[in-house]
């Protein structure tokens, strides 16, 4: 009997202890709370039961349930709203501090207003720091939670409970819920990334560069400060790009309290890139921040797509495309009398070739970008193999048009093509691809902005913009494909086409010689001259064989007479009729330190980033830079003409272009006491634009 009573007593004691622990576990938090005036929102606070005895902290979390499309805000709410807050300090007991942890938020836009926050169910981890682990804790606070749809409601939820830290029991389900919420919080102090920043007090701009130990995928970066001096700072991105391991962004910083000063202030960054969440902090250094106004982040993808269409259309009239354009015009006139469906098919194949070529370029650039290489528009002209290939193809086309060689398909392939009904489709497709490849050293208005936006965006966006360039360049051919009757308005075939074909052959020969001249940067000039001379001798030999001595004498004698006549006229009338091009300015190599030093000395620096294969660069130099009045200003004692030669890949020039969010040439900037951050010039230079920039940089306006 005594044993039974003893066992019953023990069982009752254990039940009372378990009940006591259960009661303690239940009161370590709150039940779900709903405000009668705002039923779409529920909140609840829970402790996990875990206690860190070293740091004297108790772990917990606040759950928020939001119905339908209701949202609450992040610690920096953006352009509207306020952050949630917990007012605990006045009435709580045995609590010294509460750390609130913020999962990485979403970004929302309503009526053009950008906000940052959470939608649906959200959990905020909290750490409660105690004064004494052996004393009772009274947690009494007010949770102020802002929630919004098209309207906003600010609701207070009272949180009031007690617990004994030494008697808390760990709840596995609560601990798992807490760990899941903490996994969504960016990790601080991670060695996988470093950050640097420049603060421009005058312009209220912050330039940030974040470098990771692996390639960027689709980064999102949210800046904020913890300083009580700055409440609700607004960081508006102006430019943004990520290349390889480096992410760069420039923010316009503002506050409703007035002017901001981030010097000697810590700025924090929550970063999300794929499955990687980071938190970094940096103290910005004071300096100048330069921003190219043509690349403002406010431009939508639809706007840039339109720029790409216009830029691609302009490529059709650039000098590097004219030989292929002439070939296409020749095919238009010869297409008269051909069935409309066949005309439509031919021009659709040309457009397909243009599109395929742009996609090929985008694919190669994507591979280079993912592998960490710097990318740029026209950079393939820095490759000796590309130059050799293009020179060979253009020379082959030229010889074929001039009748020096005959290109024909093998009999088996010709028979197959004939059975298909049209043997020219492949040729039209190649024409489209060839025209695109020849167009890449050209820059034009709208084109450079679209290209820069594409290179700074993710890979899918880059393909979208390159597609817009292809559609723009294909527009004339798509127009004829849509309305084949337009061919009937072209001049009728006749003897003029023979001379037109010869002119096209000469234009193509000039193109091949231009490509040959670019090889001097990769091959000694002696061998370039040998190839040019051998080609000229071969052309003369073929002319003699095909057309006889008369044509040979005519070609050689006419060329010599033309050259001698030009020299004679030039020497006699130089003072009256001909103004020779002056010598190049005394260019100094591109150097950022030289720019800064020269500006400190009160000088003006004119930077010209160009390449020998860039047709637009040559046009700018011959038409503007080497002509008065610009030339005289560049020769002034207070002006430093600086050249960045990108004919061959050069890391310093590439870094300079990337720093200014540019990925192709030409690119011109003017620095001076009146513009230490630099003044970007348009792609196509004019006397007025250059002189105005020089005047402003000197501080004269």
């Amino acid at each position: 009997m005594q044993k039974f009573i003893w066992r019953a007593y023990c069982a009752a004691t254990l039940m009372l202890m378990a009940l006591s622990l259960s009661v303690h576990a239940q009161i370590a938090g709150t039940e779900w709370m709903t405000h009668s005036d705002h039923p779409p929102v529920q909140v609840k606070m829970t402790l996990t039961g875990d206690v860190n005895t070293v740091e004297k902290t108790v772990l917990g979390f606040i759950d928020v349930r939001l119905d339908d499309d209701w949202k609450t805000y992040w610690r920096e709410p953006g352009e509207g709203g306020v952050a949630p807050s917990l007012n605990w300090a006045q009435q709580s007991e045995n609590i010294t501090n509460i750390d609130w942890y913020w999962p990485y938020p979403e970004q929302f836009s309503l009526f053009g207003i950008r906000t940052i926050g959470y939608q649906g169910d959200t959990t905020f981890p909290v750490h409660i720091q105690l004064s004494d682990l052996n004393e009772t804790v009274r947690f009494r606070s007010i949770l102020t939670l802002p929630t919004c749809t098209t309207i906003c409601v600010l609701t207070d939820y009272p949180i009031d409970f007690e617990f004994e830290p030494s008697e808390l029991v760990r709840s596995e389900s609560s601990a798992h819920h807490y760990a899941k919420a903490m996994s969504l919080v960016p990790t601080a102090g991670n060695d996988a990334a470093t950050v640097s920043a420049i603060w421009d007090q005058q312009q209220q701009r912050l330039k940030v560069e974040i470098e990771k130990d692996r390639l960027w995928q689709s980064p999102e970066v949210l800046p904020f400060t913890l300083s009580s001096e700055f409440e609700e700072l607004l960081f508006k991105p102006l430019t943004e790009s990520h290349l390889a391991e480096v992410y760069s962004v420039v923010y316009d910083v503002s506050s409703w309290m007035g002017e901001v000063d981030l010097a000697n202030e810590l700025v924090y960054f929550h970063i999300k890139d794929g499955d990687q969440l980071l938190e970094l902090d940096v103290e910005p250094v004071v300096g100048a921040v330069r921003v190219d106004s043509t690349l403002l982040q406010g431009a939508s993808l639809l706007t840039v797509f339109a720029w790409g269409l216009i830029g691609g259309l302009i490529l059709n009239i650039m000098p590097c495309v004219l030989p292929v354009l002439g070939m296409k015009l020749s095919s238009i006139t010869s297409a008269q009398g051909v069935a409309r469906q066949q005309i439509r098919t031919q021009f659709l194949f040309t457009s397909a070739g243009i599109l395929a070529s742009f996609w090929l370029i985008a694919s190669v650039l994507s591979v280079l970008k993912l592998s960490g290489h710097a990318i740029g528009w026209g950079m393939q002209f820095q490759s000796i193999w590309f130059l050799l290939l293009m020179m060979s193809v253009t020379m082959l086309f030229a010889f074929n048009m001039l009748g020096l060689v005959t290109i024909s398909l093998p009999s088996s392939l010709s028979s197959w093509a004939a059975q298909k009904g049209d043997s020219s489709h492949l040729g039209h497709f190649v024409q489209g691809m060839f025209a695109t490849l020849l167009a890449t050293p050209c820059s034009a208005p709208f084109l450079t902005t679209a290209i820069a936006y594409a290179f700074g965006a993710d890979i899918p966006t880059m393909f979208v913009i390159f597609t817009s360039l292809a559609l723009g360049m294909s527009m004339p051919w798509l127009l004829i494909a849509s309305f084949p009757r337009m061919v009937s308005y072209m001049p009728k075939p006749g003897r003029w086409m023979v001379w037109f074909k010869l002119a096209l052959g000469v234009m193509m020969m000039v193109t091949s010689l231009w490509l040959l001249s670019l090889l001097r940067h990769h091959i000694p000039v002696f061998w370039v001259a040998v190839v040019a001379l051998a080609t000229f001798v071969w052309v003369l030999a073929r002319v003699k064989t095909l057309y006889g001595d008369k044509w040979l004498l005519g070609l050689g004698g006419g060329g010599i007479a033309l050259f001698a006549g030009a020299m004679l006229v030039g020497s006699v009338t130089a003072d009256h009729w001909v103004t020779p091009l002056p010598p190049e300015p005394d260019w100094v190599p591109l150097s950022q330190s030289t720019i800064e030093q020269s500006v400190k000395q009160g000088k003006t620096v004119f930077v010209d980033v160009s390449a020998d294969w860039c047709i637009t660069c040559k046009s700018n130099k011959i038409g503007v830079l080497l002509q008065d009045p610009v030339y005289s200003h560049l020769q002034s004692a207070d002006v430093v003409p600086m050249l960045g030669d990108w004919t061959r890949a050069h890391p310093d020039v590439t870094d300079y272009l990337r720093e200014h969010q540019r990925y192709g040439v030409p690119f011109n900037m003017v620095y001076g006491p009146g513009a230490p951050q630099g003044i970007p010039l348009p792609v196509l230079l004019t006397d007025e634009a250059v002189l105005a920039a020089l005047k402003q940089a000197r501080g004269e306006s």
Side-chain angles (χ1 to χ4, degrees), residues 474-494:
S474 302
M475 206 171 292
W477 317 125
L478 293 174
L479 184 63
I480 296 177
S482 302
F483 304 98
R485 183 178 295 179
M486 294 175 62
V487 173
S488 61
Y489 298 104
M490 297 298 295
K492 304 299 181 183

Side-chain angles (χ1 to χ4, degrees), residues 352-374:
I354 294 173
L355 183 62
S357 193
F358 270 104
W359 282 354
L360 176 63
I361 295 173
S363 300
V364 173
L365 292 175
S366 299
V367 172
L368 291 174
K369 188 174 184 179
L370 291 175
S371 62
H373 289 79

Side-chain angles (χ1 to χ4, degrees), residues 290 605-607 656 660 667-671 677-681:
R290 295 180 289 269
V605 181
F606 179 88
V607 176
Y656 181 82
H660 294 85
F667 178 57
N668 299 96
M669 288 277 287
V670 181
Y671 303 84
Q677 300 85 18
I679 304 170
L681 293 174

Side-chain angles (χ1 to χ4, degrees), residues 28-353:
T30 69
E31 299 296 331
W32 284 105
M33 295 179 288
T34 302
H35 199 287
S36 58
D37 293 336
H38 193 33
V41 181
Q42 300 178 66
V43 299
K44 177 183 179 182
M45 184 168 183
T46 306
L47 300 186
T48 66
D50 290 318
V51 180
N52 187 323
T53 57
V54 177
E55 298 182 356
K56 296 183 180 181
T57 56
V58 175
L59 309 186
F61 52 86
I62 299 174
D63 275 323
V64 177
R65 289 179 179 173
L66 301 170
D67 292 347
D68 302 324
D69 56 349
W70 285 92
K71 307 175 186 66
T72 190
Y73 293 103
W74 187 53
R75 65 191 314 160
E76 291 290 341
E79 295 179 280
V82 294
S85 62
L86 199 62
N87 185 4
W88 57 270
Q90 294 180 350
Q91 301 185 50
S92 296
E93 299 175 5
N94 197 18
I95 297 178
T96 59
N97 191 38
I98 294 181
D99 293 322
W100 180 309
Y101 292 88
W102 303 84
Y104 194 89
E106 299 179 67
Q107 299 189 52
F108 307 99
S109 180
L110 181 65
F111 304 126
I113 300 175
R114 173 178 167 269
T115 57
I116 308 173
Y118 309 90
Q119 186 174 14
D121 296 345
T122 304
T123 300
F124 300 100
V126 293
H127 289 182
I128 306 172
Q129 189 170 356
L130 309 180
S131 297
D132 192 337
L133 291 176
N134 298 315
E135 296 291 332
T136 302
V137 177
R138 178 70 181 269
F139 190 99
R140 180 179 290 176
S141 68
I142 298 294
L143 171 65
T144 301
L145 189 73
T147 52
C148 292
T149 52
T150 53
I151 62 171
C152 291
V153 179
L154 198 65
T155 312
D156 289 338
Y157 299 90
I159 299 177
D160 191 353
F161 62 91
E162 292 183 355
F163 64 91
E164 300 289 337
S166 59
E167 297 179 2
L168 288 176
V169 177
R170 187 175 196 269
S171 168
E172 292 297 333
S173 61
S174 297
H176 176 74
H177 193 70
Y178 164 85
K180 184 178 179 181
M182 282 298 292
S183 70
L184 302 177
V185 177
T187 306
N190 197 301
D191 295 332
T194 57
V195 59
S196 61
I198 300 175
W199 170 245
D200 191 323
Q201 179 66 29
Q202 182 179 2
Q203 299 189 78
Q204 297 282 281
R205 286 176 178 171
L206 180 70
K207 180 178 181 180
V208 181
E209 284 193 352
I210 303 173
E211 186 170 356
K212 290 202 312 174
D213 59 355
R214 61 181 181 180
L215 301 178
W216 290 97
Q217 300 176 33
S218 53
E220 296 179 25
V221 178
L222 296 175
F224 62 95
T225 62
L226 298 179
S227 173
S228 58
E229 182 181 350
F230 305 116
E231 295 185 16
E232 299 182 7
L233 282 184
L234 179 61
F235 293 83
K236 182 180 180 181
L238 295 179
T239 68
E240 187 177 8
S241 68
H242 58 279
L243 294 172
E245 297 92 354
V246 179
Y247 171 89
S248 179
V249 59
V250 175
Y251 294 103
D252 215 347
V253 185
S254 60
S255 170
W256 62 272
M257 297 180 65
E259 189 175 83
V260 180
D261 187 2
L262 293 182
N264 303 318
E265 291 286 345
L266 271 181
V267 182
Y268 295 82
F269 300 91
H270 274 191
I271 304 164
K272 179 182 180 183
D273 188 38
D275 59 352
Q276 192 176 28
L277 292 172
L278 303 173
E279 180 185 296
L280 299 174
D281 62 80
V282 66
E283 186 175 302
V285 298
V286 177
V289 175
R290 295 180 289 269
V291 176
D292 185 357
S293 59
T294 63
L295 302 178
L296 293 184
Q297 190 67 20
S300 65
L301 180 59
L302 184 61
T303 301
V304 181
F305 191 90
W307 291 342
L309 287 176
I310 300 173
L313 181 62
I314 293 175
L315 279 179
N316 285 292
I317 59 174
M318 300 305 288
C320 31
V321 187
L322 287 179
V324 182
L325 184 63
M327 292 170 57
K328 201 64 197 168
L329 291 175
S330 178
S331 65
I332 292 176
T333 56
S334 61
Q336 297 187 36
V338 179
R340 292 183 182 177
Q341 184 58 39
Q342 186 172 335
I343 295 174
R344 179 177 287 114
T345 303
Q346 290 177 2
F347 284 88
L348 287 176
F349 265 83
T350 302
S351 302

Side-chain angles (χ1 to χ4, degrees), residues 55 339 357 570 597 634 653:
E55 298 182 356
S357 193
Q597 183 179 1
L634 294 181
V653 179

